[in-house]
Amino acid sequence: QALCGAKPPVSLSHSDPFPGTQAPSGDRHTAPFWVTNRPPSPETNLHSLHPNTSHKRLPPGGPGPCPPLTGRCPPGPTHVVHEEEQEVGRRGRGGAQGPAQAEGQHQRPRHGNGRPARPPRVTAARLAPASRDPPTGRGGAGRGGAGGGGDKMAVCIAVIAKENYPLYIRSVPTENELKFHYTVHTSLDVVDEKISAMGKALVDQRELYLGLLYPTEDYKVYGYVTNSKVKFVMVVDSSNTALRDNEIRSMFRKLHNSYTDIMCNPFYNPGDRIHSRAFDSMVNSMMMQVC
Amino acid sequence: MADEALFLLLHNEMVAGLYRAAEQGEGENGRCTTKLESMGFRVGQGLIERFTKDTARFKDELDIMKFICKDFWTTVFKKQIDNLRTNHQGIYVLQDNKFRLLTQMSAGKQYLEHAPKYLAFTCGLIRGGLSNLGIKSIVTAEVSSMPACKFQVMIQKM
């Protein structure tokens, strides 16, 4: 009888580059749109995810959070190694935080008015790491062609249905699309962990905003789960240091509001991909502008 | 002050219109009920998305049922469910002693046989709301004496 709100998850085609992923069977035989037919560009090779040596990126003395991917990164240029050492030091000994932060603060007035408004990567080295609270993390690495054109800019936004297939996924710049799709996919595990009963005190169980899911060298991933188990995942460039926690929250609120509006649209079937132009333009306003 | 009447009148017309249209076709009673229920389902999904936008996350099934009985029912029908019973094994009975959509009809046994038609939409409403919150269920309604009615929700475990 009647409509069933839950759509069966799409089945992954056999050309799936991620064989380890969960692949529930479904009635629909379309491949999910994150399995593209393009061969992955060289940049999406996982080993080169981390430091692309042509980019100079790390502010001296700018230790970042504990990125989970550090282990498999090939040694980069000197200052990259420098950062890693500092990070290890920071993780290992609390004392390392002191000098690092002081250094960061010292650099701050030199930087000027605190707006990371300089586009080219070359000056990223002079970008003082904002001395933020450890949870929001600091990363030095920037990637992609997007300039630090302003605040409230994400690099990738995804809406995932409760059955864990994507309803909407948009990323900028588009040559790294596959990498972002993969990142969003892996972040789903972190989301599940946070909202499960086992994840006690990881996040306030009553709140919809999940906060930082995990940081990597290049970017940070934030999550938000609605009461209807629809997940919003946002990937933000790590060099965008002026992005504050409550700005991220407000971006998620906007996403949630737009999603609610879509649900009330009679031309939208719950469980379908989102094609709404209004949603597109709202997401556009939140994404980084590519120079 | 007239806003309660808006939904009520629209709903009555919807039911009447559907049955009238069905009579001109082959006219099968069961199909109209199904159509009404599925309408309610889609409406319920959208409504729940709106209502839970700002609420905190639900702890468990019982929490969700209580939300339906209190906030959801209040927003739609301007009153709460009068009685919620459960056997803690996935069956909930929501009892409304003065169901808003039936009060205008009669105050006893008159028109009792027509009452189920007017409950189908609300059954779908509950089912759609629960489905969007991640709970598969079957919702049925029964009326023994107007305007009191009972909605029985059977949660289906996967």
Side-chain angles (χ1 to χ4, degrees):
Chain A
Q1 123 187 6
L3 306 166
C4 175
K7 294 285 181 184
V10 294
S11 53
L12 296 174
S13 70
H14 57 274
S15 59
D16 177 18
F18 310 120
T21 55
Q22 41 174 322
S25 60
D27 293 337
R28 295 206 283 194
H29 296 293
T30 54
F33 56 88
W34 59 18
V35 177
T36 58
N37 292 327
R38 290 196 293 247
S41 62
E43 286 177 75
T44 61
N45 180 347
L46 289 179
H47 285 295
S48 64
L49 265 188
H50 184 70
N52 195 338
T53 58
S54 60
H55 289 160
K56 177 155 64 147
R57 56 177 57 121
L58 302 158
C66 315
L69 303 179
T70 335
R72 51 188 177 87
C73 298
T78 324
H79 56 271
V80 177
V81 174
H82 172 64
E83 189 212 60
E84 285 182 46
E85 281 177 13
Q86 278 215 331
E87 282 177 24
V88 168
R90 191 187 160 111
R91 249 181 285 153
R93 304 180 294 272
Q97 243 181 356
Q101 269 191 346
E103 207 176 343
Q105 276 171 2
H106 174 258
Q107 285 191 351
R108 226 202 191 172
R110 209 184 341 140
H111 180 269
N113 305 333
R115 269 302 95 153
R118 303 159 180 257
R121 283 282 145 257
V122 185
T123 58
R126 294 215 287 125
L127 241 179
S131 47
R132 323 217 30 192
D133 318 330
T136 55
R138 316 179 204 166
R143 168 169 286 270
D151 306 332
K152 307 185 182 54
M153 294 301 181
V155 171
C156 170
I157 290 182
V159 179
I160 317 275
K162 71 163 101 70
E163 292 88 2
N164 286 334
Y165 62 89
L167 292 174
Y168 183 87
I169 179 163
R170 262 307 269 291
S171 58
V172 110
T174 41
E175 62 266 9
N176 281 341
E177 209 169 356
L178 204 58
K179 177 186 90 177
F180 288 125
H181 289 199
Y182 181 65
T183 310
V184 167
H185 189 103
T186 52
S187 67
L188 289 180
D189 275 334
V190 187
V191 169
D192 278 337
E193 184 192 312
K194 290 216 175 201
I195 60 178
S196 75
M198 262 70 80
K200 38 178 85 72
L202 275 179
V203 81
D204 180 10
Q205 288 295 331
R206 309 278 289 168
E207 231 194 67
L208 303 179
Y209 175 66
L210 295 178
L212 185 68
L213 295 179
Y214 65 88
T216 69
E217 299 85 5
D218 296 345
Y219 43 74
K220 301 194 277 262
V221 185
Y222 293 90
Y224 181 102
V225 181
T226 68
N227 268 320
S228 49
K229 302 287 175 290
V230 166
K231 304 157 182 89
F232 299 114
V233 176
M234 191 185 307
V235 181
V236 171
D237 208 318
S238 280
S239 67
N240 204 342
T241 47
L243 212 51
R244 306 200 148 273
D245 201 47
N246 46 0
E247 279 173 10
I248 306 261
R249 273 176 206 262
S250 71
M251 284 160 83
F252 276 125
R253 284 314 293 178
K254 279 206 300 192
L255 270 175
H256 196 173
N257 288 341
S258 295
Y259 177 73
T260 312
D261 286 338
I262 284 180
M263 272 303 269
C264 297
N265 187 339
F267 299 108
Y268 174 72
N269 254 331
D272 285 351
R273 294 264 307 278
I274 294 179
H275 294 291
S276 153
R277 276 183 234 163
F279 194 77
D280 270 341
S281 61
M282 190 268 316
V283 166
N284 266 337
S285 70
M286 290 204 286
M287 305 269 273
M288 278 179 125
Q289 312 305 318
V290 185
C291 325
Chain B
M1 48 169 169
D3 42 350
E4 295 173 25
L6 279 175
F7 173 52
L8 170 69
L9 292 172
L10 185 64
H11 175 259
N12 292 344
E13 272 318 299
M14 193 168 69
V15 179
L18 255 181
Y19 276 86
R20 226 175 298 138
E23 257 167 57
Q24 275 144 29
E26 312 93 54
E28 216 230 84
N29 223 359
R31 288 240 303 271
C32 290
T33 322
T34 314
K35 275 198 214 150
L36 279 169
E37 216 258 352
S38 50
M39 278 194 229
F41 184 83
R42 180 67 181 92
V43 172
Q45 284 182 316
L47 271 184
I48 278 285
E49 193 70 47
R50 263 201 202 277
F51 292 161
T52 59
K53 198 165 62 156
D54 300 308
T55 59
R57 195 164 313 145
F58 295 118
K59 286 195 290 283
D60 58 6
E61 213 172 77
L62 190 57
D63 214 20
I64 295 183
M65 290 311 296
K66 286 203 226 166
F67 173 79
I68 300 259
C69 295
K70 294 205 258 208
D71 300 308
F72 188 73
W73 219 254
T74 315
T75 328
V76 180
F77 298 113
K78 308 276 190 314
K79 68 183 283 290
Q80 292 188 6
I81 287 273
D82 297 309
N83 197 348
L84 170 69
R85 289 201 299 272
T86 175
N87 69 351
H88 290 291
Q89 271 157 24
I91 305 216
Y92 297 85
V93 180
L94 285 68
Q95 185 167 349
D96 191 337
N97 290 330
K98 201 162 178 295
F99 190 47
R100 271 281 149 71
L101 298 179
L102 294 180
T103 42
Q104 323 296 331
M105 249 190 264
S106 85
K109 305 272 185 195
Q110 195 186 17
Y111 301 123
L112 195 60
E113 64 277 6
H114 295 292
K117 295 184 211 167
Y118 290 84
L119 296 172
F121 184 83
T122 315
C123 289
L125 208 63
I126 302 176
R127 190 166 73 88
L130 286 176
S131 145
N132 209 12
L133 291 172
I135 299 182
K136 272 199 166 39
S137 58
I138 298 183
V139 182
T140 52
E142 56 172 284
V143 189
S144 45
S145 155
M146 310 247 247
C149 64
K150 289 196 203 149
F151 296 94
Q152 185 180 48
V153 179
M154 278 179 286
I155 312 273
Q156 313 205 279
K157 299 276 186 249
M158 310 274 236

